[in-house]
């Protein structure tokens, strides 16, 4: 079974087209909301492209279900997957452990450290705000990936940027 978790209809339909001569290979698509913004005509058109290869679809919100139905998927072909983690307890963040004052505004970005996730843009925005308005702002970047080491090397001397 082919797993297609990239949230873009173009990828879903391209994979379906590539699988046209391989009916034994089935596709699983995931909806995080992109299909929600398509009109009925477009959903019907895309549904015709997907109908041969798509066996299952996952969705993260009940609002994502209706567009999948308009693609032609049945209830038995759709599975709801929560888009969050259940939190059993909340532990307060200890600002002192990172030398962050109690009055500092803290921004936190949690994602893979890849170019598309905007780590560099987040750093640029915090630097701009701190310089232009003299705001005390700290940025927590949580995650790992190929961009992390490059950014650590470039911004290691900025005490308000924290790589976690």
């Amino acid at each position: 079974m082919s797993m297609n978790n990239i949230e873009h209809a173009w990828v879903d339909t391209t994979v379906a087209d590539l699988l046209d001569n391989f009916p034994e290979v089935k596709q699983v698509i995931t909806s995080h909301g992109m299909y929600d913004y398509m009109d009925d005509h477009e959903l019907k058109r895309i549904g015709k492209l997907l109908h041969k290869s798509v066996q299952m679809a996952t969705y993260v919100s009940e609002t994502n279900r209706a567009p999948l139905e308009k693609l032609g998927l049945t209830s038995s072909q759709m599975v709801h997957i929560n888009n969050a983690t259940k939190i059993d307890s909340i532990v307060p963040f200890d600002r002192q452990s990172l030398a962050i004052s109690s009055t500092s505004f803290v921004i936190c970005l949690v994602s893979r450290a890849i170019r598309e996730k905007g780590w560099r843009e987040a750093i640029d925005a915090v630097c701009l705000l701190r310089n232009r308005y003299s705001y005390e702002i700290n940025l927590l970047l949580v995650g790992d990936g190929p961009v992390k080491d490059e950014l650590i090397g470039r911004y290691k001397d900025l005490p308000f940027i924290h790589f976690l």
Side-chain angles (χ1 to χ4, degrees):
M1 183 181 302
S2 168
M3 290 297 291
N4 179 12
N5 276 335
I6 299 170
E7 185 51 37
H8 196 289
W10 178 84
V11 175
D12 293 347
T13 56
T14 299
V15 170
D17 187 49
L18 292 170
L19 294 175
D20 193 44
N21 293 323
F22 304 94
E24 70 280 6
V25 179
K26 298 300 178 190
Q27 184 178 6
V28 175
I29 62 172
T30 301
S31 176
H32 295 235
M34 193 205 82
Y35 288 113
D36 298 15
Y37 297 98
M38 295 180 179
D39 62 32
D40 290 350
H41 174 75
E42 186 68 6
L43 289 169
K44 188 174 182 177
R45 184 188 71 76
I46 290 173
K48 288 178 184 176
L49 297 171
L50 298 177
H51 85 279
K52 283 173 51 178
S53 68
V54 173
Q55 180 177 350
M56 295 292 294
T58 65
Y59 59 97
V60 296
S61 170
E62 285 301 320
T63 59
N64 306 137
R65 186 180 172 90
L68 292 174
E69 290 172 344
K70 290 177 182 177
L71 286 174
L73 295 165
T74 65
S75 293
S76 63
Q77 291 177 292
M78 293 184 272
V79 176
H80 179 255
I81 297 175
N82 289 326
N83 193 21
T85 302
K86 183 180 177 190
I87 299 173
D88 293 325
S89 66
I90 296 175
V91 178
F93 170 67
D94 180 13
R95 292 170 175 246
Q96 291 178 344
S97 67
L98 295 174
I100 298 174
S101 79
S102 62
T103 59
S104 178
F105 188 84
V106 178
I107 298 171
C108 183
L109 191 156
V110 180
S111 73
R112 289 174 290 146
I114 60 174
R115 183 183 54 79
E116 295 86 355
K117 295 295 183 176
W119 283 39
R120 185 181 325 265
E121 291 81 359
I123 292 169
D124 289 346
V126 168
C127 289
L128 177 77
L129 289 169
R130 286 179 64 96
N131 291 334
R132 185 174 291 172
Y133 300 107
S134 300
Y135 290 152
E136 186 181 349
I137 303 172
N138 280 261
L139 174 62
L140 309 179
L141 294 165
V142 182
D144 203 5
V147 172
K148 184 175 183 178
D149 289 338
E150 172 196 338
L151 295 175
I152 288 173
R154 181 176 292 171
Y155 298 104
K156 66 179 178 273
D157 295 331
L158 297 180
F160 54 90
I161 306 295
H162 308 273
F163 295 93
L164 307 173

